[in-house]
Amino acid sequence: MRYSLNLLLSALLLLSLPCATLAQSTPPVLVDKVTSATPLHDGVEVHTTSGIVRITAQRDDILRIRIAASTALPEDASWAVLPASRTHTVDVQPQQDDVSVGFRTAALDLRVERDPLRIVVRDLQGNVLSADAPGRPSRFEHGGFTVYKQMAEGQHFFGLGDKTGNFDRYKQAYTLWNTDTGVQDWSDPIYKSIPFFLTTTAGRSSGLFLDNTWRTWFDFGKQARDAYAFGAEGGPLDYYFIAGPTPKQVVLGYIYLTGTPPLPPLWSLGFQQSRYSYTPESQLRQVADRLRADKIPADALYLDIDYQYRNRPFTVDPQTFPNFPGLVSDLAKQNFHLVTITDLHIAHVPDAGYAPYDSGHAGDHFIKRADGSEYVGVVWPGPAVFPDFTRQQTRAWWGNLYTEFVKDGVAGFWNDMNEPSVFDGPGFTMPIDNIHRIDEPGFATRTATHAEIHNILGMQNERATYDGLLRLRPNERPFVLTRATFAGGQRYGFTWTGDNNSTYGQLRLATQMLINLGLSGISFVGDDIGGFGGSANADLLTRWVEIGAFNPLFRDHSTKGSMPQELWVHGPEQEAIRRRYVELRYRLMPYVYTLAEEASRTGLPMVRPTFLEFPNDFDGMETEFFFGRSFLVVPPPFAEMPEDFIVSFPKAGWYDFWTGHRVVSDAPPVAANIVAVANAAAAGVAESTFPQPMKLHPQLDTLPVYVREGSIIPMQPLVQSTNETPNGPLELRVYPGEACAGSLYLDDGHTLNYQHGDLLRQGFSCTVSGDTVTVGFAARQGTYKPWWKSMEVVVYNWNHSKATATLSGSSTVLKTRYDAQAHALHVSLPDVAQAAELHLQ
């Protein structure tokens, strides 16, 4: 839904929230006493006075807890957890005594205390990692359940996807029910439901994933001082405990359960320009021409719903876009990829020659009302029907609807309105008693109400699009952008934070939302640069573009009726600043693409909170963030104000990216951090070796960016799109320090050939000994041939103009150049594909 409806929706939502049979008068069922216990090779099964508890070790560091208020557990199936991860377990060492029953793994000690029943997880040193709250047993009532966990004072909580409010969820409560409300600073619920959180206390981190698709909720100490709680209005009580002890290990454990994202096409990491809407065709062509004329690098242009005939998905308006295939072809000649929107709904127009409805109706692919008739709700095309994506045959039908667009050369697709958003429905969605017909491998074939399916419909829509594009273009990587999703949705593409607003507060919120999405398993994320609703002023748009250059998805998007938001608005001075940051993004593309490939293998987010790299370092976490391992990005926390702000450096050495200078603390620490400095000194940390927190004055044309010592950053000559071949050497920027290393990944950027070895992977290292710096090159892996013929190595913190550079195996002295202003030595050398060392002295 677009911004104009958000306020109305917010009001109506409060009047129409689904309610879990509150009229029931049956008393709650408490899981409060063990009556018998059976050791299992991979866990333990406990029977209680009212039900059953089964706890298994999926890995030594991951436990699965299933609880039912009956004699049998419910169906063992999941939309989120990978089948191999859900069914794989490890053997455990059973243990029991008069007080408890449980088991040990190579990492954890699990005890179920008998009376009252209480689940306690410890590490092998005896530290409690998770425990049911004393005196608050799990309870089943009104068709749902509630679980209470013991909470420490000041415990940190992160995750749940892109929720609003404070970055740390402590003392906040949230509802997970995909909802098209727009993004306000404290609006909840919004577009996504990811029932996973990471928590840290006393230097130890763990995570919890509730595998339940119903309307769920999480309370992190808002109601109680000593307990946090979570629950659902229906469905199974099935959750996973993930041990750390570091936050990064927790995130990797969650990724093990829910899967890694696919490697995206290279162009999707470039700059993208969008608006609701570019119409007619001539307007989009003008935007494309202006981007190229102003030499603003860009890779993608978007068409919102107005390109369609009467807003009907999978159509093109012949009046405003009379030669759609020609448009796509012409844009491709300018090196633009076109992305078109396809909302989840299908216009309800029987006997009108509208093929998506006719074929969908004939195939019985649409969601039903409770009485079995086809459900019709009002959305952008007017009356509309909604595909039942819980059926594998419906997803296949949906994927085939992209056939003509694919033939025309459309590069990517944007799934919107898929919460699902319904203008005339209760709570601006469809009735919760609507009927879905699950026909999915791994599930029992059955019907389910929308109350169970609502939160996964957007993810299954995204899945249907992704799988369909793979069938239509078997060796091309799909690009799919979705607004609504669920845990595991990272397996099908990108998402963004939805309809935000053009305010400084929302700019600040955007960073926190992207970081929490990354912690929640979704690496490929972005927001609407400049804000969707309202009109960004000149400085706000510039600030947003600067930060957006360090986001995975870099898309400028705005709504109908707002002022233009392309990068050239507000005059040449603002455009020059914005262009410089877009150019930086393209020069950093080797680093960005290497990060994306890492995310596709490991699930580690491209945008990271400071504590993911420096556990228990929570200074500045509200606004500062890492872009990969190496870049610390420090936006002014209140960019609309001219006041100085504090940079809190994690405990490492740092270089100023813009000057190349090593950051040195010449002044005592700022007052707000004196306690932290004293604590570090007491712990024996050599605080003086690290930069102290310092004050900076905000400057519109400069976003503070720092490089972690020990980083090696690959960069390339400037191009205007990722389709262009860079002209010049590959640049390796070396920032000497502890654990100095870097890597580079490259392939053709769009096919799946990399899965068969057609790739380039190379590692780098550096060491310092006295006045000698040695840069190491590992032997390359893969068969892909690079675009560069030579390299330029730039070593920072080099403080003398004279240098001798030689490459192992050769007596030739290499050409060097000294940059006195940056304290950097430049070395030109031929391409190095085999293991070698560059010696500088």
Side-chain angles (χ1 to χ4, degrees):
M1 186 177 65
R2 300 300 183 261
Y3 178 70
S4 57
L5 294 174
N6 288 343
L7 296 179
L8 177 60
L9 171 60
S10 298
L12 291 180
L13 181 65
L14 297 176
L15 302 176
S16 55
L17 296 178
C19 182
T21 58
L22 296 179
Q24 294 182 10
S25 58
T26 55
V29 176
L30 304 180
V31 182
D32 59 356
K33 185 176 182 181
V34 175
T35 58
S36 66
T38 303
L40 307 172
H41 76 92
D42 56 0
V44 65
E45 183 171 288
V46 169
H47 290 265
T48 74
T49 54
S50 55
I52 184 172
V53 178
R54 181 179 296 166
I55 306 175
T56 54
Q58 310 307 113
R59 294 193 324 195
D60 289 322
D61 58 345
I62 300 178
L63 307 179
R64 184 183 183 190
I65 297 95
R66 303 174 70 199
I67 304 174
S70 63
T71 58
L73 294 168
E75 177 187 6
D76 188 1
S78 177
W79 298 99
V81 179
L82 298 172
S85 301
R86 185 169 51 81
T87 57
H88 176 270
T89 58
V90 298
D91 289 341
V92 302
Q93 178 184 342
Q95 55 186 8
Q96 61 177 316
D97 52 35
D98 293 341
V99 176
S100 67
V101 60
F103 59 82
R104 288 168 70 93
T105 74
L108 299 174
D109 181 298
L110 179 282
R111 301 294 180 101
V112 181
E113 297 175 358
R114 297 177 183 272
D115 187 11
L117 188 153
R118 184 167 173 259
I119 300 171
V120 182
V121 184
R122 296 178 175 87
D123 62 22
L124 298 188
Q125 290 72 47
N127 300 301
V128 174
L129 305 180
S130 173
D132 291 345
R136 295 187 177 95
S138 298
R139 56 193 296 138
F140 291 82
E141 58 185 327
H142 306 312
F145 59 82
T146 302
V147 177
Y148 301 91
K149 294 290 184 182
Q150 184 174 297
M151 183 179 66
E153 179 67 26
Q155 188 170 352
H156 298 289
F157 297 90
F158 307 96
L160 300 187
D162 53 347
K163 290 294 189 180
T164 58
N166 292 336
F167 177 51
D168 185 348
R169 312 304 191 196
Y170 179 54
K171 292 187 178 179
Q172 299 175 78
Y174 294 94
T175 299
L176 274 62
W177 182 253
N178 291 0
T179 305
D180 179 11
T181 60
V183 179
Q184 307 300 324
D185 290 354
W186 288 91
S187 52
D188 184 66
I190 51 175
Y191 303 106
K192 301 171 187 66
S193 295
I194 306 178
F196 164 76
F197 65 86
L198 180 154
T199 181
T200 183
T201 183
R204 292 176 290 275
S205 296
S206 61
L208 188 147
F209 170 53
L210 174 61
D211 192 5
N212 182 295
T213 64
W214 294 63
R215 184 185 183 93
T216 56
W217 56 270
F218 292 80
D219 186 318
F220 299 111
K222 186 172 184 178
Q223 291 190 4
R225 294 187 181 91
D226 58 350
Y228 65 90
F230 58 89
E233 68 174 20
L237 175 43
D238 183 355
Y239 68 94
Y240 294 81
F241 170 81
I242 306 165
T246 68
K248 188 174 288 187
Q249 289 171 297
V250 175
V251 172
L252 291 174
Y254 173 71
I255 291 296
Y256 167 79
L257 294 174
T258 60
T260 56
L263 180 63
L266 177 62
W267 65 262
S268 66
L269 300 170
F271 179 66
Q272 307 182 19
Q273 183 63 56
S274 180
R275 183 170 174 83
Y276 173 42
S277 287
Y278 290 130
T279 187
E281 177 182 312
S282 59
Q283 189 178 112
L284 187 65
R285 290 182 181 273
Q286 289 169 5
V287 172
D289 291 343
R290 182 69 183 268
L291 284 165
R292 293 295 179 240
D294 285 16
K295 295 191 178 301
I296 299 172
D299 267 273
L301 296 171
Y302 280 64
L303 287 176
D304 211 315
I305 60 174
D306 288 331
Y307 80 96
Q308 301 169 137
Y309 177 67
R310 297 187 177 181
N311 289 334
R312 296 174 184 175
F314 300 101
T315 67
V316 176
D317 189 330
Q319 298 298 317
T320 54
F321 290 82
N323 183 15
F324 187 76
L327 170 67
V328 180
S329 176
D330 290 345
L331 292 175
K333 292 173 184 175
Q334 294 178 280
N335 287 328
F336 286 111
H337 299 78
L338 184 63
V339 180
T340 59
I341 200 168
T342 49
D343 287 340
L344 170 139
H345 46 263
I346 296 292
H348 183 259
V349 284
D351 305 318
Y354 177 49
Y357 176 78
D358 293 341
S359 62
H361 179 74
D364 195 23
H365 291 304
F366 301 128
I367 295 169
K368 309 292 186 182
R369 290 186 178 275
D371 62 9
S373 63
E374 207 167 69
Y375 171 69
V376 180
V378 175
V379 207
W380 293 116
V385 290
F386 303 81
D388 188 354
F389 292 108
T390 62
R391 305 173 73 233
Q392 56 184 326
Q393 55 268 52
T394 296
R395 295 197 302 272
W397 160 80
W398 173 271
N400 286 333
L401 295 178
Y402 289 96
T403 300
E404 290 304 314
F405 281 150
V406 167
K407 286 181 180 178
D408 289 340
V410 176
F413 298 92
W414 171 17
N415 293 156
D416 203 354
M417 305 293 287
N418 54 356
E419 291 70 35
S421 182
V422 185
F423 297 163
D424 66 340
F428 270 75
T429 192
M430 62 179 61
I432 62 171
D433 63 353
N434 274 2
I435 299 299
H436 298 260
R437 293 156 292 159
I438 297 176
D439 188 350
E440 168 73 7
F443 284 78
T445 300
R446 61 182 175 88
T447 60
T449 65
H450 188 66
E452 177 182 348
I453 302 303
H454 175 89
N455 279 341
I456 64 162
L457 199 64
M459 179 177 78
Q460 296 306 306
N461 170 215
E462 176 191 15
R463 175 187 182 185
T465 304
Y466 182 86
D467 290 346
L469 295 177
L470 272 181
R471 287 193 299 271
L472 293 170
R473 292 188 286 222
N475 198 37
E476 290 289 322
R477 301 174 216 171
F479 173 78
V480 182
L481 177 64
T482 186
R483 189 169 70 181
T485 195
F486 186 72
Q490 67 268 14
R491 302 194 294 263
Y492 311 114
F494 284 71
T495 190
W496 91 106
T497 58
D499 296 351
N500 58 1
N501 298 291
S502 298
T503 69
Y504 282 98
Q506 294 255 314
L507 170 59
R508 173 187 171 93
L509 176 63
T511 292
Q512 299 171 7
M513 296 175 79
L514 297 187
I515 292 173
N516 266 316
L517 275 167
L519 290 175
S520 305
I522 302 185
S523 299
F524 299 127
V525 296
D527 63 333
D528 287 342
I529 299 295
F532 177 74
S535 297
N537 65 42
D539 290 359
L540 174 59
L541 179 57
T542 296
R543 288 286 190 199
W544 220 314
V545 170
E546 291 172 353
I547 297 171
F550 297 91
N551 292 343
L553 179 70
F554 190 15
R555 183 182 78 145
D556 180 350
H557 182 54
S558 55
T559 189
K560 256 182 188 177
S562 66
M563 296 297 291
Q565 199 163 282
E566 292 74 31
L567 269 59
W568 50 82
V569 302
H570 307 124
E573 183 178 346
Q574 295 281 0
E575 181 183 11
I577 300 172
R578 298 164 189 166
R579 182 192 300 108
R580 182 161 66 93
Y581 280 84
V582 177
E583 289 175 344
L584 173 62
R585 171 62 165 240
Y586 279 78
R587 291 212 60 211
L588 283 172
M589 195 58 70
Y591 177 82
V592 174
Y593 195 49
T594 300
L595 274 186
E597 193 274 337
E598 178 190 49
S600 74
R601 282 186 295 107
T602 68
L604 284 176
M606 297 174 68
V607 173
R608 308 171 184 178
T610 54
F611 62 79
L612 201 68
E613 291 297 323
F614 292 83
N616 304 310
D617 190 338
F618 297 101
D619 290 341
M621 67 177 179
E622 294 285 342
T623 53
E624 299 180 11
F625 66 92
F626 275 92
F627 189 50
R629 175 190 179 276
S630 296
F631 283 99
L632 177 65
V633 183
V634 188
F638 300 99
E640 68 274 34
M641 299 180 181
E643 284 83 3
D644 292 350
F645 63 98
I646 294 172
V647 179
S648 296
F649 292 100
K651 300 301 182 287
W654 296 95
Y655 292 81
D656 186 314
F657 176 71
W658 304 113
T659 67
H661 296 169
R662 193 173 179 92
V663 179
V664 178
S665 294
D666 296 325
V670 294
N673 290 272
I674 288 176
V675 173
V677 173
N679 290 341
V685 177
E687 188 71 29
S688 60
T689 64
F690 304 133
Q692 302 298 334
M694 65 182 187
K695 289 184 178 180
L696 288 182
H697 187 74
Q699 301 177 42
L700 180 62
D701 62 349
T702 302
L703 173 67
V705 178
Y706 301 92
V707 183
R708 184 179 184 171
E709 70 167 4
S711 296
I712 300 179
I713 308 294
M715 297 180 67
Q716 69 181 25
L718 180 63
V719 293
Q720 292 300 301
S721 84
T722 58
N723 276 6
E724 291 185 16
T725 300
N727 183 18
L730 175 74
E731 182 177 326
L732 293 178
R733 295 193 175 186
V734 179
Y735 298 87
E738 293 293 324
C740 185
S743 61
L744 175 65
Y745 175 85
L746 186 66
D747 58 29
D748 64 23
H750 65 98
T751 74
L752 301 178
N753 293 346
Y754 71 93
Q755 296 178 353
H756 308 289
D758 192 17
L759 56 84
L760 183 157
R761 191 189 306 279
Q762 188 170 23
F764 311 103
S765 64
C766 76
T767 56
V768 179
S769 178
D771 292 333
T772 300
V773 174
T774 302
V775 179
F777 298 81
R780 280 191 192 140
Q781 302 173 25
T783 60
Y784 189 76
K785 302 301 181 185
W787 49 261
W788 61 89
K789 303 298 182 184
S790 62
M791 294 181 168
E792 181 165 352
V793 174
V794 184
V795 179
Y796 289 91
N797 201 34
W798 189 273
N799 295 313
H800 43 278
S801 59
K802 300 293 185 180
T804 301
T806 57
L807 197 61
S808 58
S810 173
S811 59
T812 303
V813 176
L814 300 171
K815 181 180 178 181
T816 64
R817 176 176 60 87
Y818 183 61
D819 181 346
Q821 185 174 5
H823 298 169
L825 180 68
H826 293 244
V827 184
S828 299
L829 64 161
D831 184 31
V832 181
Q834 302 303 319
E837 290 184 339
L838 173 64
H839 298 283
L840 308 173
Q841 57 184 12

